[in-house]
Amino acid sequence: MRGEEPVLVEVLKMRALPEGSCDKLLEFLRLYRDAVQLVVDRVWRAEPLKKLSKRELHKLFYSELVSMGFRAHHAKEIYVYAKSLVDSARGNGGRKPILRKLSARVDKYDYKLDLDNMALTLKLHNDYEAKLKLVAPRERVEKFKGWSNYELVVKYEDGKFWASIYLRRAVKLLKPRTTMAVDLNFDNATLAIFAPSGKLVRLKRFKTPHRKMLAHRIWIERIQRRYPRSWRFIKGVGRAIERHGERTRNISWDYAHKVGDLIAELALRYRSVVVLEDLERVRENNKKGKRFNKRLGLWFYRRIRFCVEYEARERDLEVIKVDPRGTSSTCPRCGGKLVEYEHRVLRCGKCGFTGDRDVVATINLYKKYVLKYSRCGVPGVAPNAPKPDEDPSGVRGNKGDAMTSSYMNLYES
Ligand SMILES: [Zn+2]
């Protein structure tokens, strides 16, 4: 099969206004919190000696929780949640979790949700019920018509109740007519769309705002060098560093959303299956690693990739990941090794092929996709790699499109 069944999950957070008294709901939330804490305490004590399985958790806690007045699925949510808290605290070497906030995870068997009438009924302990009116703009809720919900979190915060509803929708994939390969690196995102014949039909580049982000990063590092030990404690300096860090985060999210949206929109127009590099393997890929600036690292790249994938899925487009190893060092025509020829241009020592670094990467991603997923295991038609004397963009007769007209600069510097 081609990867996992794609599913979209989103969380819809809304104000929830209790109808009538909220005493029982508050009582439930307190009871729930204390029950989670009780399980956390005992698992924390027991676990260094022996890891507890879900079955053992059930045996240890189920009847006790039920005797406290919880429903069957409450009990399950409580010990599963408590165990996950312990696991994550142990995982990062933290201390035993102490719960203060009032919040409860509720399984779909223990609530009734009516989004048409914005009404929520929660089943509480000892067969109590709480009815709540949900408050959210119509158009935010409208989007989730036809989605299924399977869990929610009720929270009490600053005197207000909130409900976060987990919704999901299976993605019914569009039948692809073309293939879009996306190569992400530090300077730009390059995409190439291939027809089933292997012919390249569209090439586009989005410049990344990395220079802008780097400027903030360099500023931070300079200050930290000037006050190597004390910067944290000097009033004003710490705050300024925080501000620059926040700027960097905003720029990167903003960019990732925009570019993810633009790429997915184009993929929809061409009915493309979207081919991305397999994230898990990027770390091992030294060639690629060098193409990223160490100071900004892979997180920026991961963020863009996340947005591209998300936006594509939301448009019912299939997303496929392929191993990126060698995509920027292998000749797309003969498989020989490519070496740097000029700035951003690679050349094959064996057959003399030359091509733009990023375009070469997209061709190789496409070839990997074809090899991996062509029907009956027969490799599909290889893309028409250009002859050595052709233009170095790596694309026959498409130089203008590749290098200028569609060279989109989202962030003018
Ligand atoms: Zn070659």
Side-chain angles (χ1 to χ4, degrees), residues 331 334 336 348 351 353:
C331 173
C334 76
C348 175
C351 74
F353 165 88

Side-chain angles (χ1 to χ4, degrees), residues 176-297:
R177 288 204 283 264
T178 62
T179 306
M180 174 193 278
V182 184
D183 176 69
L184 300 174
N185 63 66
F186 199 67
D187 317 299
N188 66 65
T190 304
L191 64 86
I193 301 176
F194 300 90
S197 66
K199 187 174 183 294
L200 195 143
V201 289
R202 187 79 193 261
L203 189 64
K204 206 171 169 79
R205 235 191 274 252
F206 301 94
K207 204 175 175 192
T208 66
H210 85 277
R211 263 165 234 290
K212 247 188 182 175
M213 289 161 56
L214 204 54
H216 288 286
R217 192 67 236 160
I218 287 167
W219 188 93
I220 291 173
E221 282 172 7
R222 198 178 297 145
I223 295 295
Q224 287 173 335
R225 262 200 309 277
R226 194 178 307 159
Y227 310 100
R229 244 167 290 255
S230 58
W231 66 268
R232 246 175 256 275
F233 311 108
I234 302 174
K235 220 178 164 185
V237 171
R239 210 176 304 141
I241 283 178
E242 213 169 276
R243 223 172 30 239
H244 280 266
E246 197 177 320
R247 263 310 281 149
T248 314
R249 278 191 295 279
N250 289 345
I251 292 172
S252 70
W253 265 125
D254 197 32
Y255 173 81
H257 282 140
K258 270 187 200 159
V259 113
D261 198 59
L262 286 167
I263 289 176
E265 211 33 62
L266 202 62
L268 180 64
R269 203 174 336 137
Y270 284 84
R271 288 284 188 279
S272 308
V273 45
V274 179
V275 180
L276 296 170
E277 296 154 290
D278 191 342
L279 256 192
E280 275 43 72
R281 308 198 194 223
V282 167
R283 214 188 287 270
E284 314 160 16
N285 188 351
N286 293 330
K287 267 277 176 324
K288 188 93 197 177
K290 277 183 214 151
R291 286 163 65 186
F292 289 96
N293 188 301
K294 287 206 180 69
R295 273 196 280 212
L296 281 175

Side-chain angles (χ1 to χ4, degrees), residues 17 28 109 113 180 238 257 277 289 364 378-379 384:
L17 308 172
F28 170 73
Y109 298 104
L113 176 68
M180 174 193 278
H257 282 140
E277 296 154 290
N364 281 325
V378 179
N384 44 350

Side-chain angles (χ1 to χ4, degrees), residues 38-102:
L38 178 133
V39 178
V40 164
D41 292 350
R42 290 207 207 146
V43 172
W44 189 265
R45 237 177 297 138
E47 274 225 309
L49 309 166
K50 187 180 178 303
K51 279 264 162 219
L52 294 168
S53 68
K54 212 171 235 183
R55 229 168 109 193
E56 289 167 309
L57 286 168
H58 184 86
K59 249 168 67 192
L60 280 169
F61 300 110
Y62 181 79
S63 26
E64 187 176 348
L65 291 167
V66 169
S67 74
M68 288 163 78
F70 288 112
R71 293 162 59 85
H73 287 273
H74 290 154
K76 200 177 134 222
E77 289 272 358
I78 287 168
Y79 64 68
V80 167
Y81 178 51
K83 172 81 162 99
S84 76
L85 287 175
V86 170
D87 286 350
S88 76
R90 280 254 155 75
N92 47 46
R95 278 182 294 182
K96 186 180 84 176
I98 302 293
L99 287 98
R100 294 204 171 78
K101 291 187 181 146
L102 289 176

